[in-house]
Amino acid sequence: MQNQNEQLEYIEQGKRLAQLRKAQGLTAEQLASCMTKAGAKVSRGAISNWERGINGIVSSKLPTLAKILHCSEGYLLRGDTNTSPYQDINIPADSKTNTTSEQSQFYGNAMQNTHTLKKSNKLQNVCYDIRGPLLRTATEMEASGHRIIKLNVGNPAPFGLQAPQEIIRDVAMNLTKAEGYSDSQGIFSARKAILQYYQAKGLLSAVDVRDVYLGNGVSELIVMTMQALMNDGDEVLIPMPDYPLWTASANLAGGTAVHYRCNEEDNWQPDIADIKAKITNKTKGIVVINPNNPTGALYSDDKLREIIAIAKEHNLVIMADEIYDRVLYDNVTHTPMCTLSDEVLILSYNGLSKSHRIAGFRAGWMMLSGKKDHASDFIEGLDMLASMRLCANVPAQYAIQTAMGGYQSMQALTAETGRLYKQREMAIERLNAIKGISCTMPQGAFYCFPKIDLEVYPIKDDMQFMMDLLIEEKVLMVQGTGFNWDKPDHFRVVFLPNLLDLEDAMDRLDRFFAKKRKEFGTE
């Protein structure tokens, strides 16, 4: 843990960094890009963590950072004004923070002779705000007796969305078979059921159970993939906004997450031109999240085929995150990417956390299909990593065969008469009724990604805006930049609560935004 003195220093460093960045007219994403191009690779998430005082500025990045911001290293670290001149930057006097003697004495005496064990530098580029400072604050508030309406995590169980009883029963019946390790890739019956699921949907290439890996949720398999795929300096294209685990895993593996834009005006479809523009000789693959988290968008087959054509042209791996493929509204259908081509290597990720409401079981999988003749070494790496973790949670593997066949109870929840459908309709209607807030209609998942009109709410820090909402109205949500969006003008809403609780949350949102309009004078 950081000691109090270090935490104070980090906060002041962050204030100086944010001010200098804004003085240069740079977003955090642009600053990260400039540093990476200058040879000091860093992510937007790391910049954000530095500015919030969560981490101190990494010493190896400091010279490049100071050069780009036209200041001295001493000013960034300590607020020194006599080490070297600033260039074209006017630092206001009140920005030079001086800790009072009382504070210095308190923090110094409290932590004298304390050795601080710091986290690895590999984590400096990792950011996962879904369970970050906002959640920690909410947890502290709950401990003080406050009731928080949590719209931050897509976890169905706490909202009364229970698993099908036949799954619980089948897992229980097989517990005595699940006492030991399984095959490192998973039990045969589960992998066979997964293979047959994709075959029924039109899987093009020849695949057998050896191409299926079971994991402790899709999350573990994402991390495994990036570790097997990325060398230091390699790049992977990830949608913006994204599910932030993809970006965090790429950075943790030593690679660089390069974000391609999804167009809100086109109902959040991928921007094909932007994908093409961001491919370099370092690009290893393209991540496709469909249906998308956080926007709820369902991608058209034409867009998917265009992405496949790009991957074929540049010999890239496609990583298709399709965990919400059975959470669909308005009678739309989802097309797995593995059914559209066998000319590129496609990794399909899916699981039961959302569709069968058993997030805690951690029952996920990955299937390899398509062109594999060039990827034997990469596949060997996946096998190695699968063996190193011994196996996925074995009891949960016995849920998969039951879940993949028979009655799909999610369809009743997303039909017009279903609970999730009604909650989606109400959330979108209420959000669009708030002045300065607009939201597209999600066709999948249980999220929406509303836009904040910055002329009505001229905010600079969307996480602080969400923190204000949490403190003032006891509603917890995640800011748009937490999903690697590049402007402070979005937030994600999870519409899993029942209609009564969701309406309460929307009333609180309505009240909060009305108060902010009065503060900003934009009523």
Side-chain angles (χ1 to χ4, degrees):
M1 295 178 60
Q2 297 169 355
N3 64 41
Q4 290 171 303
N5 198 30
E6 278 188 325
Q7 184 65 66
L8 185 66
E9 291 176 358
Y10 291 171
I11 290 171
E12 301 309 330
Q13 285 177 16
K15 290 179 181 178
R16 291 189 290 271
L17 172 57
Q19 185 179 46
L20 289 165
R21 173 180 62 75
K22 291 171 184 176
Q24 292 290 346
L26 296 172
T27 65
E29 181 84 19
Q30 290 168 337
L31 177 56
S33 177
C34 289
M35 290 188 65
T36 299
K37 289 177 181 177
K41 188 187 77 170
V42 71
S43 69
R44 183 210 61 80
I47 300 290
S48 178
N49 285 343
W50 294 345
E51 292 189 353
R52 296 174 193 169
I54 296 173
N55 300 321
I57 299 170
V58 178
S59 58
S60 62
K61 314 293 183 184
L62 186 61
T64 304
L65 184 61
K67 183 177 180 181
I68 291 172
L69 296 177
H70 302 299
C71 71
S72 70
E73 295 177 28
Y75 179 76
L76 274 174
L77 285 182
R78 300 176 297 276
D80 297 348
T81 58
N82 58 354
T83 49
S84 67
Y86 308 107
Q87 300 176 16
D88 305 321
I89 291 188
N90 180 24
I91 306 297
D94 61 3
S95 74
K96 302 178 180 69
T97 305
N98 294 312
T99 306
T100 67
S101 58
E102 291 86 353
Q103 286 175 316
S104 297
Q105 183 176 1
F106 171 78
Y107 289 125
N109 292 342
M111 292 297 171
Q112 274 185 351
N113 301 320
T114 299
H115 173 70
T116 301
L117 184 63
K118 297 183 178 181
K119 60 179 170 288
S120 163
N121 285 341
K122 292 182 293 185
L123 292 172
Q124 294 289 349
N125 287 336
V126 175
C127 184
Y128 191 77
D129 279 350
I130 293 176
R131 294 179 181 265
L134 286 162
L135 179 60
R136 289 195 291 271
T137 301
T139 302
E140 292 170 0
M141 291 172 69
E142 284 183 319
S144 299
H146 295 284
R147 175 180 175 267
I148 308 297
I149 299 179
K150 294 182 177 178
L151 308 182
N152 64 314
V153 177
N155 184 15
F159 300 103
L161 291 159
Q162 297 179 330
Q165 280 304 302
E166 62 174 342
I167 288 181
I168 303 298
R169 184 176 61 249
D170 284 8
V171 169
M173 288 178 62
N174 285 284
L175 283 176
T176 56
K177 300 179 183 177
E179 294 171 352
Y181 298 129
S182 72
D183 181 284
S184 62
Q185 287 183 228
I187 62 175
F188 178 86
S189 61
R191 288 190 284 158
K192 188 68 173 179
I194 291 163
L195 175 58
Q196 290 172 337
Y197 174 75
Y198 288 105
Q199 288 173 334
K201 286 183 169 288
L203 175 65
L204 292 181
S205 63
V207 173
D208 63 30
V209 293
R210 290 174 296 179
D211 296 306
V212 179
Y213 297 76
L214 303 190
N216 293 298
V218 169
S219 300
E220 180 187 48
L221 297 165
I222 290 172
V223 173
M224 281 175 51
T225 300
M226 291 302 175
Q227 294 291 336
L229 181 67
M230 307 290 282
N231 290 315
D232 289 353
D234 285 344
E235 298 174 354
V236 61
L237 295 176
I238 296 174
M240 178 176 66
D242 72 340
Y243 175 55
L245 180 67
W246 281 103
T247 294
S249 297
N251 292 333
L252 184 62
T256 299
V258 177
H259 294 101
Y260 65 85
R261 186 169 292 277
C262 295
N263 293 323
E264 187 169 14
E265 59 274 14
D266 189 24
N267 205 21
W268 293 110
Q269 297 289 304
D271 187 328
I272 300 300
D274 197 45
I275 292 175
K276 292 178 178 178
K278 288 177 175 173
I279 292 176
T280 71
N281 59 4
K282 297 180 180 179
T283 307
K284 299 292 288 289
I286 305 175
V287 174
V288 179
I289 306 173
N290 177 42
N292 184 264
N293 177 8
T295 65
L298 180 70
Y299 297 164
S300 70
D301 288 3
D302 287 342
K303 291 290 184 184
L304 297 177
R305 289 191 179 95
E306 288 185 87
I307 293 172
I308 288 170
I310 294 170
K312 180 181 177 182
E313 178 183 353
H314 296 279
N315 197 29
L316 304 178
V317 180
I318 289 178
M319 289 154 274
D321 183 344
E322 299 170 338
I323 188 72
Y324 297 99
D325 72 331
R326 285 152 290 173
V327 187
L328 302 170
Y329 309 90
D330 307 321
N331 297 314
V332 298
T333 58
H334 173 269
T335 303
M337 294 194 80
C338 63
T339 67
L340 295 178
S341 176
D342 58 2
E343 296 180 303
V344 298
L345 177 60
I346 298 176
L347 279 56
S348 301
Y349 302 82
N350 213 321
L352 306 182
S353 292
K354 316 300 182 178
S355 61
H356 291 77
R357 287 86 68 201
I358 52 172
F361 282 38
R362 313 310 299 131
W365 63 81
M366 171 179 67
M367 184 187 73
L368 280 61
S369 65
K371 182 182 177 183
K372 290 179 284 186
D373 56 346
H374 67 305
S376 59
D377 199 54
F378 166 64
I379 295 171
E380 182 180 333
L382 289 175
D383 292 342
M384 184 184 303
L385 291 169
S387 297
M388 285 171 62
R389 52 92 203 241
L390 299 180
C391 65
N393 174 26
V394 181
Q397 296 182 38
Y398 282 97
I400 293 174
Q401 184 177 27
T402 300
M404 301 310 289
Y407 176 64
Q408 297 297 306
S409 56
M410 179 55 70
Q411 294 175 3
L413 293 168
T414 58
E416 285 191 26
T417 56
R419 174 182 160 177
L420 286 177
Y421 183 95
K422 293 176 181 178
Q423 290 163 195
R424 178 192 69 149
E425 295 295 300
M426 193 264 277
I428 300 302
E429 180 181 350
R430 289 293 304 272
L431 287 164
N432 281 324
I434 299 173
K435 181 180 179 180
I437 302 297
S438 59
C439 190
T440 61
M441 179 65 77
Q443 291 186 297
F446 15 76
Y447 315 109
C448 57
F449 201 58
K451 182 177 183 179
I452 303 170
D453 186 340
L454 295 183
E455 292 188 1
V456 180
Y457 309 96
I459 61 174
K460 302 295 184 182
D461 185 339
D462 57 348
M463 193 190 81
Q464 185 58 53
F465 198 60
M466 290 294 102
M467 188 70 78
D468 292 345
L469 171 65
L470 172 61
I471 293 170
E472 295 174 24
E473 293 293 346
K474 315 301 186 292
V475 177
L476 174 62
M477 294 190 297
V478 182
Q479 76 282 5
T481 54
F483 301 93
N484 291 295
W485 188 245
D486 60 352
K487 296 179 181 178
D489 63 351
H490 282 79
F491 58 98
R492 188 184 75 167
V493 176
V494 177
F495 52 82
L496 283 172
N498 62 55
L499 284 171
L500 187 62
D501 288 340
L502 193 59
E503 188 162 14
D504 184 9
M506 292 300 147
D507 288 344
R508 298 182 189 203
L509 278 179
D510 206 358
R511 187 165 59 231
F512 174 77
F513 281 108
K515 179 181 177 182
K516 289 299 181 182
R517 291 195 299 274
K518 288 182 180 179
E519 289 181 12
F520 293 130
T522 56
E523 187 58 63

